[in-house]
Amino acid sequence: KHNGKLVSNRALTVRGGAGPLDPVITAKLATTLVGIDTGLAILFPSVHKISNNLPQSPILDFKVKYINYLAASHGLVAACLLFGGSCINTAVGAGLLLSIVPLCTAILTGKAKEFGFEASRLYISAIIGAVASCWLFANGKYANYLIKFISLQSGVNALGLMLVPLKAKAIWGLPYAGSTTTDGAIAFHNRFLGGIILAASVFYLCLAYGVDVPKAVGYGMIPTFITFFVTNFVTKEVEEFGLAKGRQFVLMALLAAFIIALT
């Protein structure tokens, strides 16, 4: 039975994936690397920006912070399942709670108004995230359906950000970032924001439908890999502002290796 209230021991013991490595160990390694990378980016944002040669402006800095928190929340869910033995509801609830931290910070510090966000949308997003998190912590009725709904709703928004990143202001209330920032930089950040949200949505949806945790981790990496590939080789926004490609290629190779090993 896979209702979210039970610890997914079966999911952690079933061997799968295309590679010869143990899928649980591989998933733990991937989760650890993500945790280290996002943790360093959150704790030392200036070093992260310099090492990646990211364009800088207050709004883009906020988006980078938000992206890193979303990636960290995704990793936290995986860590709770793989290392902590948590049930799915508790793990996803913890991830949702962490994901709203930058929204609450933006509201409380006045950054939301300064950046031109539609404050009402931030309030709604933060409240929904907090309520959903508490509901999942309490193993509320229909918790599994709640995870599915949040995943699908977030996934649709994420696809929009990835496909039409410069329309974000009109559709999702994300500020354009100002005339001093190039369209390429804005498109890149919005595509990555969408890619990270879609990655978490795919991961949570897989968990809600009973996919084994290591495989769910692998499937959740696919949207991030696609985002790297698209921004480097299809839309080529990275070329417009000289993002450090070497690091991106290394991350793409690691993502590809983990995806192959886990799915």
Side-chain angles (χ1 to χ4, degrees), residues 93 96-97 99-100 103-104 120-136 146 149-150 153-154:
L96 289 177
L97 197 60
S99 70
I100 65 173
L103 297 182
C104 295
S120 60
R121 296 196 184 195
L122 289 188
Y123 278 112
I124 292 172
S125 295
I127 291 171
I128 290 175
V131 172
S133 179
C134 292
W135 191 264
L136 292 173
L146 177 61
F149 174 78
I150 290 174
Q153 187 267 339
S154 299

Side-chain angles (χ1 to χ4, degrees), residues 177-246:
S179 59
T180 58
T181 307
T182 66
D183 283 354
I186 298 163
F188 173 80
H189 282 76
N190 284 351
R191 282 192 212 279
F192 250 93
L193 177 58
I196 293 297
I197 294 173
L198 184 61
S201 298
V202 170
F203 180 47
Y204 299 163
L205 202 60
C206 286
L207 294 175
Y209 276 100
V211 176
D212 296 333
V213 175
K215 282 186 177 291
V217 170
Y219 290 135
M221 291 181 172
I222 294 174
T224 305
F225 177 84
I226 291 173
T227 306
F228 273 112
F229 185 86
V230 168
T231 54
N232 276 278
F233 301 110
V234 181
T235 57
K236 300 181 179 180
E237 284 107 358
V238 295
E239 294 182 358
E240 183 173 332
F241 52 91
L243 191 78
K245 282 190 174 183

